[in-house]
Each structure stands twice: as C-alpha cells, then as structure tokens.
Amino acid sequence: MAKQKLKEHRINREWCKGCEICVEFCPKNVLAIDKQGKVVALRPEDCIICKMCEQRCPDLAIEIITE
Amino acid sequence: MAVKDFIRERFFPHLWCPGCGHGIVMNNMIRAIEKLGVSKNDIVMVSGIGCSSRITGYLDFHTLHTIHGRALAFATGVKMSRPELNVIIPMGDGDALSIGGNHFIHAARRNIDITAIVMNNRIYGMTGGQYSPLSGFGINATTAPYTSIDNDFDVVKLSIAAGASFVARTTTYHVKQMADIIAQAILHKGFSVVEIMSQCPTYFGRKNKQGNAVEMINSYRINTTPKGSKAKKENPSLIERGIFIQEERAEYCKEYDKIIQRATKGNK
C-alpha cells in the first residue's frame, strides 16, 4: 500500500462541541481548540494520518481527507 | 461509502453532551457496518429509552425507537418475522439491565440472533444522573448523595450465565477494538452482547470527580487490560476487555423454522 498523503483535516465547525478528545489523543499534537471553542488543525504538516481523531470524535465532526 | 452515508444529517449536531461516549460508540458502530459491507436495507436498529437509545434517530437504517427496556421484545418480533435481517440494539445500562433486565436475560437464554450493544455509562444521564444497576458500590449520584450501597452487575458474567453465545467488552478508548468487536458480534449467529464502557462526563464524571471526557477515557486505558493478561494476575482490580465467549449454538429462529416444518408435515 502506497503511503497516504494528507490533503486536509475537514472539520465541521457546526457539529464540533470542543470536547478536546481529538486534541488530547492526537499522537503528534496536530490539533488545537481555537478561541470559539472549536477544533482547528494547527500543525497539519505533522499529521501521520492515523485517523484516531476521526474515529474518537463523538460528534462525527472531523474527517481526514487524503489525496 | 463514507460515514455520512449512514446518518440522518438533518438531526445533527446531535443532542449528546460534549465528550459523550455514546457518540464514539455510534461512530464506531458505523465503521463496523461499513467494514462488513452490509446493505443499509438489511439492518434494523431497535432501541428503548435513554441517551443511548437516541442513536436510532441519528442512523439511517430501518429504525424503531420503542419503549423503555422493551427494545429486545420488539427486536425479537422483528427478527422472528424477518430472520434474514440483521437486528442491532443499542441500549443503555439502565435500559438493558434494570428496566429491561428480564427481557435481556430471556433473549440471551433463547440465543436469538440479535446483537445487543450495552453502552455502559453507569448512570441515568437523560433524567438527571440517578444511579443505575451498573453504578456500583460507593458511587455518587443524584439519588445517592451519600454514595450508593448497591452492588453492580458484571454484564459479561451475567450474559454468559444467561446463555448468550457471544459476549465481549470494550471501551471508548479502544476504538479499533470496538469497531472490530461490533463487526464480529453482528456476524455471529446467536445472541451477542457487547458491553462498551462509555463516559458520561456531565453526570457520572462530575458527581464522582472523575474529570472531563478526556480524563475519563484515559481512565479506561489505565483501568482495563486485555482478557487473560499478565497484568490482570498482578492487579485483580483491572477490568478485562476482549471477547469472553464465542460459541456456535442452536439459534432460536432456525429452531422455530424446524418446529413449523414438523407441525405442518402431512398437512398438504
């Protein structure tokens, strides 16, 4: 399987409730909570596409899009 | 298919609190079904009442939102009339084992091919944090301000003793295991019980000073261990997770078909 390349962290700001589960369990510290209490991808270049944020999000608000 | 193809987007964002474990269970239930490649039309989801039971509203299968504790009774009816469908029942700990305790043990005893997902947050969240049959001794709840003196059920032992032929336990920290176990439980022909330890930061976490959703999920990582591990022998207070029983046994609908054949023999 070829290595996947990250395109974007697609975040649904309407659905995100800012519970910080994705932020805390990201192994590479890619995500953060912004001033509005919603998640943002602060360091997308560090993402290793493990998709744990996607799989642990209780609100189905984050999706990893690959090329 | 993507996750969004399995949900009813018009009801989102859902009403569960920030960090609620039930969302994580729903997320991985979708992933398990996606992995199995079962058609949406071949799945029936039946639920009772409670936070967890709201799941049927959010997912785009055939869904029935029924009465408190009686989801298994409705599901038994669905399964017996349409045995070719996959019947999945998301239920809370109180819904499954208190209000629906009798339905639960008898569905297990019959070994009918239904998948029961017990989302165990150890409290009645929807009604304001009353203690449930899975809260356990020494737990604070709205109805136990000086801590509960009731012991809790062990869902795994109870289900095995009642006759379920597939019994597993996992948590909202172990998401890959959760998706995998749910998929196996759906494939299993017989009564399957999956207990998923799921955090309720709003009531259980706050009342028992267990911190926010992140800290509660972390406690599942620390306080659980794979079934039969060395760590369990050294520290018996750890909670085991994994598949505890997986056996092929006579299934209720198949046995019922045989009865129909026997009864109608010679009646042509």
Side-chain angles (χ1 to χ4, degrees), chain A residues 12 14-15 17 19-21 24-25 50 52 54-60 63, chain B residues 4 7 12-14 16 18-20 23-24 27-28 31 173 175-176 214 217:
Chain A
N12 188 334
E14 300 272 299
W15 292 8
K17 291 173 186 156
C19 68
E20 299 186 32
I21 290 175
E24 290 293 327
F25 291 108
C50 67
M52 292 316 283
E54 204 182 281
Q55 222 174 327
R56 283 217 181 90
C57 178
D59 296 284
L60 310 179
E63 202 179 341
Chain B
K4 290 234 167 94
I7 62 175
F12 279 70
H14 56 57
W16 293 317
C20 176
I24 306 180
N27 187 332
N28 289 285
R31 282 168 211 278
Y173 175 81
V175 280
K176 283 192 190 296
V214 171
I217 295 179

Side-chain angles (χ1 to χ4, degrees), chain B residues 8 45-47 52-59 63-65 90:
Chain B
R8 295 173 178 149
M45 215 164 249
V46 188
S47 70
S52 58
S53 301
R54 303 280 309 197
I55 229 174
T56 48
Y58 299 130
L59 295 180
T63 57
L64 281 168
H65 196 170

Side-chain angles (χ1 to χ4, degrees), chain B residues 10 21-22 88 95 113-114 141 193 198 200-201 214 235 250 259 262:
Chain B
R10 63 188 183 280
H22 293 352
I88 304 170
D95 190 48
D113 184 16
I114 286 174
V193 180
S198 168
C200 173
V214 171
N235 180 5
I259 290 286
R262 277 213 320 260

Side-chain angles (χ1 to χ4, degrees), chain B residues 93 120-124 131-132 134-136 139 152 204 210:
Chain B
D93 47 318
N120 177 11
N121 58 10
R122 305 177 67 194
I123 206 144
Y124 289 97
Y131 68 86
S132 85
L134 293 179
S135 294
I139 289 300
D152 54 344
F204 194 87
Q210 290 195 354

Side-chain angles (χ1 to χ4, degrees), chain B residues 234-252:
Chain B
E234 285 161 9
N235 180 5
S237 68
L238 291 175
I239 300 166
E240 288 184 295
R241 58 189 164 76
I243 297 169
F244 292 81
I245 194 167
Q246 188 172 16
E247 285 180 9
E248 289 298 317
R249 279 191 224 141
E251 196 272 324
Y252 197 65

